[in-house]
Amino acid sequence: MLKAPVHQVAGHKANEGKLGPLVDGSGRFYKPLQSNGRGSEELVFYKSFFSDPTIPDRIRSYFPAFYGTKELEGSDGSGLVPHMILEDVVGNLIDPSVIDIKIGARTWYPHASAEYIEKCFKKDKETVSQQLGFRISGLQVHNTTGWWKPAKKLVHGFGIEDVKLTLKKFVSSNPCSNMVEPDCLFASTVYGGILEHLLELKSWFENQTTFHFCSTSILMFHDKGSVGEVKLVDFAHVVDGQSVIDHNFLGGVVVERFYGMSEADDHRSSQRVKESRPVYRDRADFCSCISIDKDRHRLITRSVTATFHNFITNISFKT
Ligand SMILES: Nc1ncnc2c1ncn2[C@@H]1O[C@H](COP(=O)(O)OP(=O)(O)OP(=O)(O)O)[C@@H](O)[C@H]1O
Ligand SMILES: O=P(O)(O)O[C@@H]1[C@H](O)[C@H](O)[C@@H](OP(=O)(O)O)[C@H](OP(=O)(O)O)[C@H]1O
């Protein structure tokens, strides 16, 4: 029997009377093909990605397995709708803590309509995306008494300090408490695993020029402190890389320093961030900064390096 996934943390949801994904409880996640070409684009991506012999198996394992499509009754009651049959990546976990991190300082894709670009640009600017190169789209954290699953509106309003706190709560046994500091009990196991996966993904992204992943998320999850896992989701806006590195994605996950980063290094690195962080006046200005020039890009990616990795590295190894 198909039902709305209880562990879904972001995106369109079936249980809100809308067209959303369904799960069968046996490891399959059925994602309906979304309107306006988004669904068909995502399907094209899955087909080409899983038939591309140049993709290493290890890298493929960071994507939900793809089993084709099937016509199913849409969750919005609109009749039969084609669904992609995917691996339910959290299907075998009992109490998964899950966080969806939308990667990229820019979440729109080239050739989108001006209206769409404006909408995304505004969101990227109002959230932490432009500052950090990623934002949290949604999450749930398990706790002995239930779940911490903040509403979308609250998550959208997260500033940098909220992001830091949330990444700590994600690996804590007391995420619901506002009275005491998150205990970060699971930090080294969870983020230890996640950092290893991100490093592997990063080295692939440093070389691959086939795809540009616009508005794709990294889903990170663990089951009550198990070794952290990583999967990429949402490929409705993956475009041809045209032999250019995906700087926008890489900028969100890139790392300057990993283990053993000292306070001094941390300080120097944040100084550098201050000095080199680009300030975007408007969209055109921002576009010109995301140039395909490799050296210039290095400057930009360096400016966002003290972000995701540094956050989680700090949490893992300084607590
Ligand atoms: N293969 C999967 N297995 C398990 N859960 C998944 C899978 N794919 C997506 N999810 C869950 O669904 C959420 C939304 O996924 P996704 O971004 O693909 O949906 P969407 O409706 O296209 O989102 P958006 O509205 O941002 O475009 C994720 O945050 C995650 O919780
Ligand atoms: O790219 P698409 O397919 O147009 O889908 C939108 C996109 O995934 C945005 O990231 C999402 O905003 P958030 O990440 O901010 O949730 C938005 O939700 P919204 O319509 O509720 O703004 C979606 O409609």
Side-chain angles (χ1 to χ4, degrees):
M1 164 79 170
L2 297 176
K3 55 180 179 29
V6 287
H7 301 307
Q8 182 179 349
V9 297
H12 301 85
K13 293 189 179 140
N15 60 9
E16 290 166 357
K18 297 191 185 134
L19 188 60
L22 299 165
V23 287
D24 63 2
S26 306
R28 296 286 190 268
F29 185 95
Y30 298 86
K31 183 169 176 179
L33 265 63
Q34 291 166 341
S35 58
N36 300 331
R38 292 169 300 172
S40 48
E41 290 295 326
E42 189 162 26
L43 183 58
V44 165
F45 168 77
Y46 269 107
K47 284 183 176 166
S48 75
F49 182 83
F50 279 96
S51 59
D52 185 337
T54 67
I55 312 281
D57 286 346
R58 286 285 314 157
I59 295 302
R60 214 169 273 154
S61 74
Y62 288 117
F63 292 71
F66 172 65
Y67 304 106
T69 57
K70 190 174 184 180
E71 296 256 326
L72 295 170
E73 216 39 65
S75 60
D76 59 351
S78 61
L80 285 179
V81 177
H83 286 64
M84 285 174 287
I85 312 170
L86 305 172
E87 167 196 3
D88 180 356
V89 299
V90 295
N92 61 351
L93 307 184
I94 297 162
D95 291 314
S97 292
V98 185
I99 189 163
D100 179 312
I101 311 264
K102 195 179 277 273
I103 300 293
R106 159 176 68 72
T107 58
W108 41 272
Y109 56 98
H111 318 304
S113 68
E115 194 191 345
Y116 183 87
I117 293 176
E118 283 310 326
K119 178 185 117 174
C120 294
F121 181 76
K122 188 163 177 283
K123 224 186 261 184
D124 297 343
K125 199 171 175 139
E126 286 170 356
T127 61
V128 295
S129 290
Q130 276 199 8
Q131 285 166 284
L132 299 182
F134 69 89
R135 69 171 176 256
I136 298 176
S137 279
L139 75 147
Q140 67 174 32
V141 189
H142 180 258
N143 155 295
T144 44
T145 55
W147 301 89
W148 180 52
K149 195 166 185 168
K152 177 174 169 170
K153 210 171 163 201
L154 186 74
V155 176
H156 270 198
F158 278 178
I160 293 178
E161 290 310 313
D162 303 310
V163 171
K164 283 186 188 169
L165 184 62
T166 302
L167 289 173
K168 285 186 177 177
K169 286 186 171 191
F170 180 63
V171 292
S172 292
S173 67
N174 59 344
C176 296
S177 172
N178 287 322
M179 310 300 282
V180 288
E181 274 285 296
D183 59 22
C184 292
L185 200 61
F186 314 126
S188 13
T189 334
V190 174
Y191 284 140
I194 286 172
L195 283 169
E196 230 170 82
H197 296 314
L198 291 181
L199 256 186
E200 195 170 20
L201 272 170
K202 175 185 159 272
S203 44
W204 182 65
F205 270 93
E206 279 169 344
N207 292 297
Q208 79 85 18
T209 57
T210 313
F211 306 105
H212 280 192
F213 292 83
C214 308
S215 197
T216 289
S217 288
I218 289 185
L219 205 63
M220 312 193 304
F221 46 90
H222 66 89
D223 201 358
K224 290 177 283 201
S226 61
V227 175
E229 294 293 339
V230 162
K231 295 275 179 183
L232 269 63
V233 295
D234 202 355
F235 310 109
H237 304 302
V238 176
V239 296
D240 186 340
Q242 299 184 339
S243 307
V244 174
I245 300 281
D246 186 353
H247 300 310
N248 183 53
F249 193 93
L250 196 52
V253 291
V254 79
V255 59
E256 191 168 53
R257 258 168 222 282
F258 268 97
Y259 307 96
M261 186 172 65
S262 69
E263 290 293 342
D265 286 340
D266 203 9
H267 176 70
R268 273 199 299 277
S269 145
S270 62
Q271 274 303 105
R272 248 195 328 270
V273 168
K274 264 191 211 138
E275 285 156 15
S276 61
R277 176 180 292 151
V279 177
Y280 311 115
R281 289 186 303 276
D282 54 25
R283 184 168 65 78
D285 182 35
F286 182 67
C287 295
S288 70
C289 288
I290 300 288
S291 102
I292 57 167
D293 178 297
K294 254 192 159 179
D295 290 334
R296 178 151 170 70
H297 170 67
R298 271 203 197 101
L299 193 78
I300 295 167
T301 51
R302 245 184 254 124
S303 76
V304 292
T305 51
T307 58
F308 190 48
H309 273 98
N310 283 5
F311 280 179
I312 63 178
T313 306
N314 284 348
I315 295 165
S316 316
F317 302 100
K318 284 188 183 170
T319 52

